[in-house]
């Protein structure tokens, strides 16, 4: 395969995995399933039941749903069924009105909206069952947050799509660290400039997070600490507080989209904001920033491919690894420094758990970003965790596979324990 053909494939992966999303993508998946089922029903739903996988339940229990002032999957199912637009995919709730939200809350109050665990081996699964006037319609989503695989009405299949692994592109996964670096540094600027939209969207939500009291106010609190002389206004602090502020706003249910990565808004924020922050403070050109963003997002996608959509390992560390690589590039680093940055991240916070989407995710984003910056700065000084240490390996692709193995095989029981703790509080 020629480099040009590979690059076309890379752009296709980016266009699939880096997309706008309104709200946390687990509640959004439930809302999307409910919306599509309601559209098939062609009547206002009188009852809504959504069956979800354990991982989806975990990630949707405590996060704000845009436009509702509430958290959790039940309200997401209700507003999705009554006012969602499935054609908008991960922005399914964009057209919500106060009237729709009030109607959804009444449907919930009457006990007509329920969410329960599904009997499934899929990590990401949601099936919405809506009923009205003696008719029943369903929509099933699996593997990816917007991957609708079946729609039915009164047991008639209206649409069916084979269940495929959308994380792969063809028979062989095309990404590697060296190939990603080559693409990010050599592709024509006009072919990759679309990634600047990620900067626009995610910087906008970061500004909202700094301006208003969202969630735990992690980013806004850092601003206050600077004013009090408890923190310095250096480039690391700038990158960290912007990323945290964006996560604050998103986790609290702001009615504003972010550019996601691999089905996660927080991952999109973490892969974008630190890179743009460094580019702004270092007075880099838009082309230099775009190349660093391409590197960051593709590295995050590459790492996520080995981990899967949902797991017990926090996705922010993967996205922060990507941003650390982008920062290394902005500081003048090459492929060697990028690989060192990845090894440093795998050697530090690789075991951070995912215990669901919630306001405290902003703290995890902040911690991951600070670790990524430290990893990049060490890499620029020629320092990296040696392959003899822990799960790190001298071969960068084996190192990444080891991280994926840790988060999938190694943390399966951890995932079960986390969910058990959360549902039995």
């Amino acid at each position: 395969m020629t480099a040009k053909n590979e690059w076309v494939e890379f752009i296709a992966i980016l266009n699939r995995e880096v997309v706008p999303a309104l709200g946390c993508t687990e509640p959004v998946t439930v809302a999307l399933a409910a919306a599509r089922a309601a559209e098939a029903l062609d009547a206002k739903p009188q009852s809504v039941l959504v069956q979800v996988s354990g991982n989806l339940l975990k990630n949707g229990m405590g996060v704000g749903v845009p436009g509702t002032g509430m958290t959790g999957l039940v309200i997401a199912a209700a507003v999705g069924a009554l006012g969602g637009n499935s054609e908008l995919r991960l922005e399914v709730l964009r057209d919500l009105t106060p009237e729709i939200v009030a109607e959804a809350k009444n449907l919930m109050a009457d006990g007509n909206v329920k969410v329960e665990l599904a009997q499934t081996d899929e990590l990401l699964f949601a099936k919405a069952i809506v009923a009205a006037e003696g008719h029943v319609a369903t929509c099933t989503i699996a593997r990816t947050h917007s991957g609708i695989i079946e729609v039915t009405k009164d047991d008639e299949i209206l649409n069916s799509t084979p269940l495929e692994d959308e994380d792969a592109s063809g028979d062989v996964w095309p990404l590697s660290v060296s190939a990603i670096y080559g693409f990010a540094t050599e592709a024509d600027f006009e072919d990759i400039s679309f990634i600047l939209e990620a900067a626009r969207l995610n910087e906008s939500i970061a500004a909202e997070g700094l301006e208003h009291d969202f969630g735990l106010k992690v980013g806004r609190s850092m601003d206050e600490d600077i004013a009090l002389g408890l923190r310095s206004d250096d480039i690391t602090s700038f990158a960290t507080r912007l990323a945290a502020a964006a996560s604050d706003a998103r986790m609290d249910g702001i009615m504003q989209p972010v550019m996601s990565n691999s089905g996660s808004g927080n991952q999109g924020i973490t892969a974008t904001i630190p890179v743009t922050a460094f580019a702004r403070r270092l007075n880099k050109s838009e082309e230099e920033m775009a190349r660093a963003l391409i590197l960051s997002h593709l590295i995050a996608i590459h790492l996520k491919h080995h981990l899967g959509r949902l797991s017990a390992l926090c996705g922010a560390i993967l996205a922060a690894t990507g941003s650390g690589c982008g920062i290394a590039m902005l500081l003048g680093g090459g492929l060697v420094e990028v690989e060192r940055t990845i090894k440093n991240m795998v050697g530090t916070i690789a075991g951070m758990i995912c215990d669901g989407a919630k306001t405290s995710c902003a703290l995890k984003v902040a911690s991951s970003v600070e670790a990524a910056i430290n990893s990049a700065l060490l890499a620029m000084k020629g320092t990296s965790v040696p392959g003899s240490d822990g799960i790190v390996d001298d071969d960068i692709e084996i190192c990444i596979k080891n991280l994926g193995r840790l988060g999938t095989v190694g943390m399966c029981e951890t995932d079960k324990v986390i969910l058990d703790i959360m549902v039995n509080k």
Side-chain angles (χ1 to χ4, degrees):
M1 180 181 290
T2 65
K4 185 175 180 180
N5 285 340
E6 284 182 357
W7 292 355
V8 168
E9 202 166 8
F10 291 1
I11 291 172
I13 290 172
L14 283 164
N15 286 331
R16 185 178 73 229
E17 301 292 358
V18 183
V19 297
L22 177 64
C24 177
T25 47
E26 278 71 50
V28 164
T29 294
V30 166
L32 177 59
R36 183 64 187 93
E39 291 163 2
L41 187 67
D42 198 24
K44 183 174 291 187
Q46 297 171 337
S47 69
V48 182
L49 169 64
V50 182
Q51 300 168 335
V52 299
S53 59
N55 283 78
L56 197 148
L57 177 66
K58 178 185 74 174
N59 272 24
M61 288 174 63
V63 68
V65 177
T68 69
M70 298 179 66
T71 61
L73 298 180
V74 176
I75 184 63
V79 292
L82 294 176
N85 180 353
S86 70
E87 291 184 359
L88 297 177
R89 310 289 277 181
L90 294 182
E91 294 183 88
V92 60
L93 300 179
R94 191 175 70 188
D95 299 330
L96 284 189
T97 65
E99 292 75 21
I100 291 170
V101 174
E103 190 175 4
K105 290 179 180 179
N106 288 335
L107 194 66
M108 292 168 57
D110 293 335
N112 292 319
V113 186
K114 297 179 180 179
V115 175
E116 64 183 26
L117 274 173
Q119 298 300 314
T120 178
D121 292 328
E122 294 292 337
L123 295 178
L124 198 166
F125 178 92
K127 180 178 182 179
I129 305 165
V130 300
E133 301 172 359
H135 297 282
V136 177
T138 73
C139 173
T140 304
I141 293 175
R143 295 280 170 92
T144 64
H145 290 83
S146 60
I148 296 174
I149 61 170
E150 185 178 81
V151 179
T152 72
K153 181 180 180 181
D154 295 333
D155 296 326
E156 177 187 353
I157 297 176
L158 304 181
N159 182 51
S160 180
T161 302
L163 187 60
E164 297 179 353
D165 184 0
E166 292 189 28
D167 279 337
S169 180
D171 295 329
V172 178
W173 179 243
L175 297 183
S176 67
V177 174
S178 60
I180 291 168
Y181 180 81
F183 172 66
T185 54
E186 298 173 23
D188 291 338
F189 176 49
E190 55 265 33
D191 291 336
I192 61 172
S193 60
F194 66 88
I195 200 66
L196 293 173
E197 178 66 5
R200 186 189 71 81
L201 280 181
N202 294 353
E203 284 183 312
S204 177
I205 201 170
E208 291 295 317
L210 288 178
E211 183 69 22
H212 304 287
D213 289 343
F214 287 109
L216 297 183
K217 299 179 289 185
V218 178
R220 189 170 167 84
S221 176
M222 290 179 181
D223 253 358
E224 295 171 356
D225 292 340
I226 290 170
L228 292 170
L230 299 175
R231 291 178 183 267
S232 64
D233 187 19
D234 57 27
I235 191 169
T236 297
S237 178
F238 181 54
T240 304
R241 71 179 186 269
L242 281 181
S247 182
D248 281 326
R250 180 175 175 272
M251 291 292 94
D252 207 22
I254 190 173
M255 198 67 174
Q256 187 171 321
V258 301
M259 192 66 81
S260 66
N261 181 296
S262 303
S264 167
N266 269 350
Q267 287 170 209
I269 288 168
T270 310
T272 303
I273 293 294
V275 175
T276 61
F278 266 73
R280 303 295 187 204
R281 285 286 179 95
L282 295 173
N283 296 315
K284 297 295 183 178
S285 67
E286 288 212 326
E287 179 174 346
E288 289 172 309
M289 182 167 71
R291 294 188 183 282
L293 284 171
I294 288 289
L295 177 66
S296 176
H297 277 275
L298 279 176
I299 290 291
I301 291 167
H302 183 39
L303 269 60
K304 190 68 173 176
H305 169 74
H306 291 283
L307 187 69
R309 296 280 169 175
L310 299 176
S311 78
L313 195 151
C314 178
I317 68 168
L318 309 181
T321 301
S323 65
C325 294
I327 288 167
M329 174 185 279
L330 290 172
L331 293 172
L335 179 59
V336 171
E337 287 73 25
V338 166
E339 291 188 356
R340 286 176 185 156
T341 300
I342 295 171
K343 291 175 183 177
N344 289 341
M345 284 294 282
V346 173
T348 53
I349 60 171
M352 183 185 289
I353 64 165
C354 171
D355 53 346
K358 60 218 172 300
T359 55
S360 61
C361 286
L363 281 168
K364 296 189 178 186
V365 167
S367 297
S368 298
V369 170
E370 289 185 342
I373 294 170
N374 191 39
S375 293
L377 294 177
L378 283 171
M380 294 302 297
K381 295 178 177 67
T383 300
S384 69
V385 177
S388 58
D389 283 11
I391 65 169
V392 178
D393 194 276
D394 289 327
D395 185 314
I396 194 63
E397 297 304 325
I398 294 177
C399 186
I400 291 170
K401 288 178 181 178
N402 290 346
L403 178 63
R405 185 182 172 200
L406 169 69
T408 51
V409 179
M411 299 183 76
C412 281
E413 191 61 29
T414 300
D415 216 14
K416 296 174 185 176
V417 172
I418 291 170
L419 182 60
D420 183 64
I421 292 171
M422 291 176 66
V423 301
N424 288 295
K425 283 185 178 181

